[in-house]
Amino acid sequence: MSRPILFQAPDIYQYQGNVNVKAMRDAGYPAVILRAGWGQNNRDPKYAYNAEACRNLSVLTAIYWFSYALTDDAVRREAEYAIKAAEEYFPAAPIAFDLEYDSRRYAAKNGINMDRAMITRHAIIFL
């Protein structure tokens, strides 16, 4: 059973540069999701700029943290970094855990096989 898409929310992070949040909002995007950072407390260089713009323009905002955690303790720290980043601008914002192919590639490069059980455990710990 498919579910209807309620709205689209662009994913904004450093590689889009300085995003014109007002133009995006005025074009019909009611929300955005911002990458707050990645790994061990690496803040997205554009997070503060984009977060400030979203807050000033009352754009609904969620954030995510891109994971490079190799251990349970590291993923706990990533969650703490994400919470701290959210609290600076959006104390009630949803926070997402982002683990993708690059996360698994990084783990493999460090001798760790991120199997389904580990990925699931890390997602649960983060959330």
Side-chain angles (χ1 to χ4, degrees), residues 45-72:
K46 295 296 182 181
Y47 175 68
Y49 175 89
N50 292 320
E52 192 72 36
C54 290
R55 185 173 65 185
N56 289 343
L57 293 165
S58 300
V59 173
L60 294 174
T61 306
I63 71 158
Y64 68 95
W65 198 270
F66 194 99
S67 182
Y68 283 105
L70 301 178
T71 66
D72 293 356

Side-chain angles (χ1 to χ4, degrees), residues 8 25 48 54 85-86:
Q8 293 181 335
R25 182 200 64 192
C54 290

Side-chain angles (χ1 to χ4, degrees), residues 100-113:
E100 298 181 21
Y101 175 77
D102 197 51
S103 310
R104 295 184 74 190
R105 183 198 55 76
Y106 175 77
K109 190 169 99 176
N110 286 280
I112 295 172
N113 175 33

Side-chain angles (χ1 to χ4, degrees), residues 15-28:
Y15 298 113
Q16 281 97 24
N18 291 332
V19 173
N20 185 334
V21 175
K22 183 180 183 312
M24 188 186 58
R25 182 200 64 192
D26 294 348

Side-chain angles (χ1 to χ4, degrees), residues 5 10-12 15 41 46 58 60 71 84 97-98 103 110 112 116 121 124:
I5 296 173
D11 170 6
I12 299 175
Y15 298 113
N41 209 19
K46 295 296 182 181
S58 300
L60 294 174
T71 66
K84 184 177 179 186
F97 174 68
D98 189 8
S103 310
N110 286 280
I112 295 172
R116 182 179 289 205
R121 187 177 68 250
I124 290 168

